[in-house]
Amino acid sequence: MDSKANMPNMAGVRYMYPQLPSQNTENNSETNPIPLIGPQYPIPQPTKTPVSELMELSMRMGIEAKFETNELPGPSHLKEFVMTCTVGSITGQGKEHNKKKAKQAAAADTLKKLKESDLYKNHLFNRSSKAALSSHNNTVGRLQEATAKKGLQAPEYEFEPPVGPPHQRQFSTKVHVGTLTANGTGRSKKEAKRSAAAAMLDNMDCSNLSLHVPAKKIAFNPASSPIDPKPILFCKAGTLGT
């Protein structure tokens, strides 16, 4: 069987190639098709080097990272450098033919040992403990959440002028929630606000606070002299003026 007989006739078939738009803007979409654009791939973000990652971690842990370079003897074209990195009690080394690569290798070795050490585990534990403690000490936020859950009005704070010399300022703050009032003092305005919020939380736990906002009282001043209206008299039709 002849395979050429089954082939389609390609005579007269034209191939369309993408063209750049011309300077003429009239009917540009019809005469000049938009060029084809291939798939867009995300641009890879630069990753941190072992040295930069180690320096950031050591700063968060409050430990200084130290590097020391030693040059091994040998011919100039085959020189080797040994870099030693020390972070606290953790020590790592890197050996390469130039100082920059040796420093990166030493940092990578130290970083691996540091993340496997008890020093790093204690750092993570202390960090989580501080985060939990700070959220617990945020009495202003806790009071805001407590009033919202109970359907109470939002806390209202009153700040009084500070008293005392400039180096020993004392701030006072009042907070109102419904019918309750609590006071707080501190060395700063923020500290006094937190103290008042903590006192209000204690008062809310110990009291049976109403869920309804107390209505504001409107003062009523009676008139200086009582009004004595006169009765209205009605006349029959046709008798007006008689």
Side-chain angles (χ1 to χ4, degrees):
M1 183 176 179
D2 190 6
S3 60
K4 293 184 179 181
N6 297 329
M7 294 180 62
N9 186 11
M10 303 299 292
V13 177
R14 294 187 303 170
Y15 294 90
M16 301 298 295
Y17 296 94
Q19 300 178 3
L20 295 176
S22 63
Q23 298 295 333
N24 186 11
T25 58
E26 299 179 0
N27 299 329
N28 193 31
S29 60
E30 297 179 0
T31 59
N32 298 314
I34 300 175
L36 300 178
I37 301 177
Q40 300 295 317
Y41 298 100
I43 300 176
Q45 299 295 329
T47 57
K48 294 182 180 180
T49 63
V51 174
S52 61
E53 186 177 355
L54 178 63
M55 296 300 292
E56 292 180 5
L57 180 58
S58 61
M59 288 181 62
R60 289 198 301 265
M61 297 177 62
I63 306 175
E64 183 181 2
K66 299 179 181 180
F67 291 90
E68 183 179 354
T69 307
N70 294 322
E71 183 178 348
L72 298 180
S76 58
H77 63 284
L78 293 176
K79 280 187 177 181
E80 287 186 332
F81 298 90
V82 176
M83 185 75 67
T84 304
C85 178
T86 305
V87 178
S89 59
I90 308 300
T91 302
Q93 284 188 347
K95 183 179 179 182
E96 291 292 343
H97 290 286
N98 61 66
K99 292 182 180 180
K100 188 174 182 180
K101 291 184 178 180
K103 186 175 183 179
Q104 295 292 344
D109 186 33
T110 307
L111 190 62
K112 180 182 178 182
K113 294 180 180 179
L114 181 61
K115 290 185 177 181
E116 296 175 353
S117 65
D118 294 335
L119 187 65
Y120 181 69
K121 295 178 182 179
N122 293 336
H123 165 71
L124 294 179
F125 176 78
N126 294 333
R127 188 177 179 182
S128 60
S129 300
K130 288 181 180 180
L133 184 61
S134 62
S135 61
H136 179 75
N137 290 336
N138 185 14
T139 54
V140 177
R142 288 170 52 204
L143 178 60
Q144 189 78 19
E145 293 178 1
T147 54
K149 288 180 180 180
K150 293 185 178 182
L152 302 172
Q153 65 178 10
E156 298 179 358
Y157 294 90
E158 294 182 8
F159 301 96
E160 299 181 2
V163 295
H167 63 283
Q168 290 182 351
R169 291 286 188 186
Q170 190 74 12
F171 293 82
S172 300
T173 304
K174 290 183 180 180
V175 59
H176 305 277
V177 176
T179 57
L180 297 180
T181 302
N183 300 323
T185 59
R187 297 292 300 274
S188 64
K189 194 174 181 179
K190 189 175 183 180
E191 184 179 346
K193 186 177 181 180
R194 289 180 177 177
S195 177
M200 178 57 72
L201 287 172
D202 294 338
N203 292 344
M204 290 175 60
D205 292 338
C206 300
S207 62
N208 188 10
L209 190 62
S210 175
L211 296 180
H212 301 285
V213 180
K216 295 183 178 180
K217 297 181 179 180
I218 302 176
F220 175 75
N221 296 323
S224 58
S225 58
I227 300 177
D228 188 12
K230 295 181 180 180
I232 300 175
L233 301 177
F234 295 93
C235 302
K236 294 182 180 181
T239 61
L240 185 61
T242 59

